[in-house]
């Protein structure tokens, strides 16, 4: 049974690690607000995705659609109402939730690969519509941007407008630099707490039972459809919040956010970190965003610097063989890391952590113990 | 013991050209244990599947407690109080034994759907105690925190029995509950099921093991090739020459 005190410790440690990101990310060159914001936002996206995929077992390949919808909703809130991020974020969550209810209602008629294909089809449809028919709402290829002559009815009524296009703000405070990061970090911690409560609730137990044996659930007296639909909507709302935050930290919404590669990215994050674990998806999001931003910025001069302690011939040799893995080639490194983890740590990075912990405490893992006692037929 | 809890009324079912069930008319009286026996392929499991809504009959209907349940969805039939224990154990392999029994207990208490996402499972002590009680009754209490996937087949059956009993069903349908169990476990299961007979639970039991049938059943229906060939008290059925030829004298 889940223990309350352990959970509080986990939550406190998680909050501390997230809030201290500017400190411990410094030495690995990642302590700049733009990247930390992205890690926090995609952490929220992945936590929500895990509520569907990790707990319920339904693999959606279209969650980026909700990310995009959240972004558009937030930017429209900036344009029409006010530059305050609170209504923007609320709109993003609510509208993404409505979209998720509609798409989930249809997609959840099927399970397994057919469910994945249906969600993928819906997301690609949204992506293409954003470029074509829905241009009045999405502003097509240019992306939805703020403009000087936006109505911003609430801001104008309170006459808090200066010259130029204002930036998104929280209680009058502009969300730029570190304050933007901390806003996202606090929401990430709240989202983590909520996911933890769902995981520890009877509702969460039913989701895991559905993942384990959905047919049995029906003969146990459960109507599984509302359970899976609720999980789908909750995870869609998490994605909407993430999309809203992307717009809040950089008020521009483009359709490329809804493309299938973005949907695939959150699948990678969750698997990399550990499907079905609470912390794993956030770790996965952090690792992928780090690779994307830091490894892709490496170039040959930096490599020469790194290998400069070697004799010339050897230095050139090492630079030559490592060069394809950095800069533009960061995808190659990420791909290799991903393969290694799926092959050797199917439970993701969190399984690695668990194995290390058992190795150090010398307590045999519970799973191995029970396996031994199972008598043969 | 006067009124029928379950009435299978004139049910026919064919799969392709094969007549799996024909002319099945069967009444199960309140508080009794009704055994259905017959050689392999006689249609016993199909009949149970019709009763829980897994298979729709071609004609005829199943009436439970005065209500037609044919056409209702499986979870609705369960919520009315008809619970089935499967022939191949159907459990939640990725959950612990305790969780496996808590899940049906929640279904009994909260109905077919409830969005209780902000309650803590650890605070549901009534449900947990109830689940622990049933695990104790089937002899699996000590292993309650292990994953159900690690159990042997016989233990999975006992777990599934606890999952059924925790719902306090009005009608319990058991599909070969002791298959794959040792003689010792079989006797323990018989004792457990007898206890419920005293409490007035109605049961339909499909069984190959004649020892189990004659220790538990008040009434026996014999199926062969999808038809009822005999129906009566255990002793009457045992002495019936048609039954002996079709079944007892056959493979056994």
């Amino acid at each position: 049974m889940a223990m309350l005190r352990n959970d509080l410790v986990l939550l406190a440690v998680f909050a501390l690690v997230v809030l201290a990101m500017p400190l411990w990310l410094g030495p690995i060159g990642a302590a700049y607000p733009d990247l930390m914001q992205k890690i926090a936002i995609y952490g929220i996206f992945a936590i929500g995705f895990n509520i569907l995929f990790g707990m319920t077992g339904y693999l959606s390949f279209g969650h980026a659609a909700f990310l995009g919808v959240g972004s558009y909703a937030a930017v429209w809130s900036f344009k029409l109402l006010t530059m305050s991020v609170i209504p923007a974020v609320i709109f993003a969550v609510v509208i993404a939730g409505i979209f998720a209810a509609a798409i989930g209602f249809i997609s959840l008629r099927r399970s397994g690969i057919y469910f994945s294909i249906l969600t993928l089809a819906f997301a690609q449809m949204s992506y293409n519509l954003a470029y074509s028919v829905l241009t009045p709402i999405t502003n097509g290829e240019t992306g939805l941007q703020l403009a000087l002559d936006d109505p911003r009815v609430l801001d104008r009524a309170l006459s808090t407008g200066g010259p130029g296009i204002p930036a998104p703000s929280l209680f009058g405070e502009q969300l730029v630099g570190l304050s933007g990061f901390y806003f996202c970090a606090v929401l990430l911690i709240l989202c983590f707490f909520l996911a933890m409560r769902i995981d520890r609730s009877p509702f969460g137990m039913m989701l895991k039972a559905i993942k384990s044996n959905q047919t049995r659930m029906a003969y146990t007296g459960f109507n599984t459809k509302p359970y899976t639909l609720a999980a789908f909507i909750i995870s869609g709302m998490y994605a909407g919040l993430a999309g809203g935050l992307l717009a809040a930290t950089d008020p521009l919404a483009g359709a490329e956010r809804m493309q299938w590669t973005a949907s695939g990215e959150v699948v990678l994050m969750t698997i990399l970190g550990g499907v079905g674990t609470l912390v794993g998806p956030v770790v996965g999001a952090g690792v992928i965003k780090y690779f994307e931003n830091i490894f892709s910025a490496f170039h040959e001069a930096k490599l020469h610097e790194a290998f400069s302690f070697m004799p010339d011939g050897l230095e050139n040799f090492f630079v030559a063989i490592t060069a394809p893995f950095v800069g533009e080639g960061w995808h190659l490194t990420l791909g290799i890391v991903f393969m290694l983890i799926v092959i050797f740590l199917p439970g993701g990075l969190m399984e690695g952590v668990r194995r290390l912990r058992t190795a150090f405490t010398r307590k045999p893992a519970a799973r191995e113990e029970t396996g031994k006692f199972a008598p043969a037929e | 013991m006067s009124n029928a809890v379950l009435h299978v009324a004139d049910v026919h079912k064919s799969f392709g050209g094969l007549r799996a069930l024909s002319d099945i008319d069967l009444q199960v009286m309140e508080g009794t244990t009704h055994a259905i026996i017959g050689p392999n392929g006689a249609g016993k499991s199909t009949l149970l599947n019709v009763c829980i809504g897994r298979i729709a009959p071609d004609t005829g209907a199943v009436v439970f407690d005065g209500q037609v349940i044919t056409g209702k969805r499986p979870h609705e039939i369960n919520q009315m109080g008809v619970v089935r224990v499967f022939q191949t154990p159907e459990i939640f392999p990725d959950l612990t034994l305790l969780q496996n029994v808590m899940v049906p207990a929640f279904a009994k208490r909260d109905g077919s759907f409830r969005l209780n996402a902000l309650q803590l499972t650890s605070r549901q002590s009534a449900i947990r105690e109830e689940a622990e009680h049933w695990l104790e009754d089937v002899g699996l209490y000590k292993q309650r925190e292990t994953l159900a996937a690690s159990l042997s087949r016989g233990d999975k059956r006992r777990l599934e029995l606890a999952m059924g009993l925790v719902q306090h069903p009005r009608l319990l349908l058991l599909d070969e509950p002791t298959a794959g169990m040792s003689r010792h476990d079989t006797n323990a299961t018989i004792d457990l099921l007898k206890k419920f007979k005293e409490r007035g639970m109605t049961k339909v039991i499909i069984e190959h093991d004649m020892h189990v049938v004659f220790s538990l059943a008040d009434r026996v229906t014999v199926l062969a090739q999808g038809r009822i060939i005999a129906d009566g008290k255990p002793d009457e059925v045992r002495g019936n020459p048609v039954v002996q030829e079709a079944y007892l004298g056959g493979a056994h």
Side-chain angles (χ1 to χ4, degrees):
Chain A
M1 220 24 46
M3 242 146 15
L4 204 54
R5 188 176 303 170
N6 284 351
D7 285 351
L8 281 177
V9 171
L10 178 63
L11 180 66
V13 171
F14 181 81
L16 211 67
V17 170
V18 169
L19 292 174
M21 259 160 66
L23 296 178
W24 61 268
L25 279 179
I28 52 171
Y32 55 97
D34 188 46
L35 174 57
M36 293 191 298
Q37 250 163 32
K38 281 228 170 71
I39 293 178
I41 292 170
Y42 280 92
I44 292 172
F45 189 21
I47 288 178
F49 184 75
N50 187 54
I51 291 175
L52 183 69
F53 180 41
M55 289 192 202
T56 324
Y58 278 79
L59 174 56
S60 160
F61 257 109
H63 255 49
F66 309 126
L67 194 78
V69 166
S71 288
Y72 285 123
V75 174
W76 273 112
S77 166
F78 291 142
K79 286 170 84 73
L80 296 178
L81 295 174
T82 166
M83 291 308 292
S84 168
V85 293
I86 306 241
V89 161
I90 292 173
F91 270 118
V93 171
V94 170
I95 292 179
I98 294 169
F99 259 76
I103 292 179
F105 185 79
I106 298 167
S107 304
L108 286 165
R109 297 178 70 88
R110 291 284 172 269
S111 57
I113 187 75
Y114 301 102
F115 167 80
S116 305
I117 297 292
L118 280 171
T119 51
L120 176 64
F122 271 113
Q124 283 303 92
M125 208 158 75
S126 313
Y127 168 70
N128 286 312
L129 285 179
Y131 270 131
S132 53
V133 187
L134 295 177
T135 307
I137 299 173
T138 60
N139 203 20
E141 263 176 76
T142 325
L144 191 62
Q145 304 172 10
L146 301 181
L148 258 181
D149 57 351
D150 284 335
R152 289 195 293 277
V153 281
L154 290 178
D155 285 354
R156 302 232 174 190
L158 299 167
S159 71
T160 50
I165 299 172
S169 61
L170 179 68
F171 302 126
E173 215 39 61
Q174 287 207 341
L175 277 186
V176 281
L178 267 186
S179 65
F181 161 69
Y182 278 113
F183 179 62
C184 298
V186 167
L187 284 173
L188 170 64
I189 294 164
L190 281 176
C191 284
F192 179 79
F193 174 69
L194 187 65
M196 188 162 146
R197 286 303 297 254
I198 292 173
D199 188 79
R200 288 359 177 194
S201 72
F203 175 76
M205 191 195 265
M206 300 319 149
L207 295 186
K208 287 180 218 165
I210 287 172
K211 182 183 183 184
S212 191
N213 189 346
Q214 182 159 5
T215 319
R216 183 63 167 105
M217 279 302 268
Y219 296 104
T220 307
F222 286 104
N223 191 1
T224 53
K225 181 81 186 273
Y227 279 96
T228 49
L229 185 58
F232 194 90
I233 294 173
I234 292 170
S235 82
M237 287 165 98
Y238 267 76
L241 173 63
L245 288 175
L246 282 176
T249 50
D250 177 17
L252 170 86
E256 76 288 343
R257 228 163 248 179
M258 305 212 256
Q259 216 184 349
W260 66 272
T261 48
S263 295
E265 198 181 48
V266 74
V267 180
L268 294 192
M269 287 171 179
T270 311
I271 292 175
L272 191 68
V275 181
T277 64
L278 286 168
V279 184
V282 185
V283 175
V287 170
I288 287 187
K289 285 295 148 190
Y290 180 79
F291 268 85
E292 187 181 293
N293 286 272
I294 303 297
F295 260 64
S296 63
F298 262 43
H299 43 80
E300 264 188 48
K302 264 223 171 129
L303 286 178
H304 277 290
E305 221 173 90
F307 294 113
S308 59
F309 62 92
M310 294 175 176
D312 255 3
L314 214 54
E315 181 187 325
N316 287 338
F317 174 70
F318 270 95
V319 169
I321 57 166
T322 49
F325 294 93
V326 297
E328 301 247 292
W330 72 274
H331 280 113
L332 188 59
T333 319
L334 184 66
I336 290 171
V337 169
F338 188 75
M339 282 197 297
L340 288 176
I341 284 180
V342 169
I343 293 168
F344 294 106
L345 287 175
L349 289 170
M350 293 313 289
E351 187 180 321
V353 172
R354 201 161 41 238
R355 281 193 197 170
L356 279 178
R357 204 184 327 170
T358 42
F360 277 111
T361 53
R362 287 173 179 281
K363 245 194 266 167
R367 210 173 284 175
E368 285 165 13
E369 242 177 27
T370 53
K372 250 182 271 164
F373 288 121
E377 281 278 311
Chain B
M1 289 224 186
S2 52
N3 51 326
V5 173
L6 183 76
H7 186 193
V8 179
D10 203 20
V11 162
H12 292 256
K13 177 74 196 175
S14 349
F15 297 109
L18 182 77
R19 304 218 76 180
L21 296 173
S22 38
D23 271 335
I24 300 290
D25 205 276
L26 185 69
Q27 297 206 8
V28 178
M29 298 297 166
E30 176 122 44
T32 61
T33 300
H34 196 127
I36 297 173
I37 61 172
N40 285 329
K44 308 183 296 287
S45 291
T46 308
L47 179 56
L48 275 206
N49 281 329
V50 168
C51 292
I52 57 160
R54 200 177 210 179
I55 292 176
D58 297 336
T59 60
V62 179
V63 181
F64 171 71
D65 206 19
Q67 276 181 282
V68 177
I69 56 173
T70 320
K72 281 195 193 293
R73 297 173 62 196
H75 71 264
E76 293 170 327
I77 295 174
N78 173 285
Q79 289 288 346
M80 290 169 76
V82 182
V83 170
R84 169 165 181 191
V85 176
F86 288 82
Q87 185 176 13
T88 3
E90 285 275 352
I91 52 164
F92 303 112
D94 310 308
L95 304 186
T96 66
L97 302 200
L98 186 58
Q99 289 170 331
N100 262 277
V101 187
M102 282 174 80
V103 167
F106 275 116
K108 172 79 180 173
R109 193 194 69 185
D110 294 344
S112 62
F113 173 69
R114 192 167 165 204
L115 189 62
N116 42 5
L118 293 179
Q119 290 172 6
L120 283 171
T121 313
S122 52
R123 297 252 171 89
Q124 305 284 334
S125 44
I127 295 267
R128 192 181 59 244
E129 277 159 25
E130 167 115 52
E132 283 173 348
H133 163 76
W134 288 111
L135 280 174
E136 222 168 325
D137 264 12
V138 298
L140 292 170
Y141 180 75
K142 274 191 196 139
Q143 295 119 284
R144 67 190 179 284
E145 294 296 348
T146 56
L147 292 183
S150 67
L151 291 181
S152 69
R153 200 178 150 94
D155 283 349
K156 280 180 184 159
R157 288 184 166 280
R158 290 195 289 166
L159 174 64
E160 212 193 341
L161 196 58
M163 290 164 71
L165 292 172
V166 77
Q167 294 195 312
H168 299 282
R170 293 212 40 218
L171 175 65
L172 184 63
L173 307 171
L174 298 149
D175 199 345
E176 299 195 34
T178 61
M181 278 191 192
S182 66
R183 181 50 57 182
H184 174 263
D185 286 347
T186 300
N187 286 334
T189 307
I190 292 175
D191 288 344
L192 186 68
L193 291 173
K194 271 187 178 159
K195 216 155 71 182
F196 288 99
K197 194 168 164 180
E198 284 154 23
R199 291 190 209 166
M201 183 189 292
T202 313
K203 290 188 291 293
V204 171
I205 178 167
I206 287 181
E207 188 56 77
H208 269 304
D209 187 335
M210 288 304 126
H211 169 61
V212 177
V213 171
F214 292 113
S215 341
L216 284 171
D218 302 302
R219 199 168 180 88
V220 178
T221 298
V222 187
L223 286 187
Q225 291 169 334
R227 288 176 184 280
I228 294 177
I229 57 166
D231 182 49
K233 292 212 169 72
D235 288 336
E236 297 167 14
V237 168
R238 192 158 27 184
N240 186 327
V242 182
V243 175
Q244 284 185 344
E245 193 185 328
Y247 183 39
L248 299 173
H252 286 250

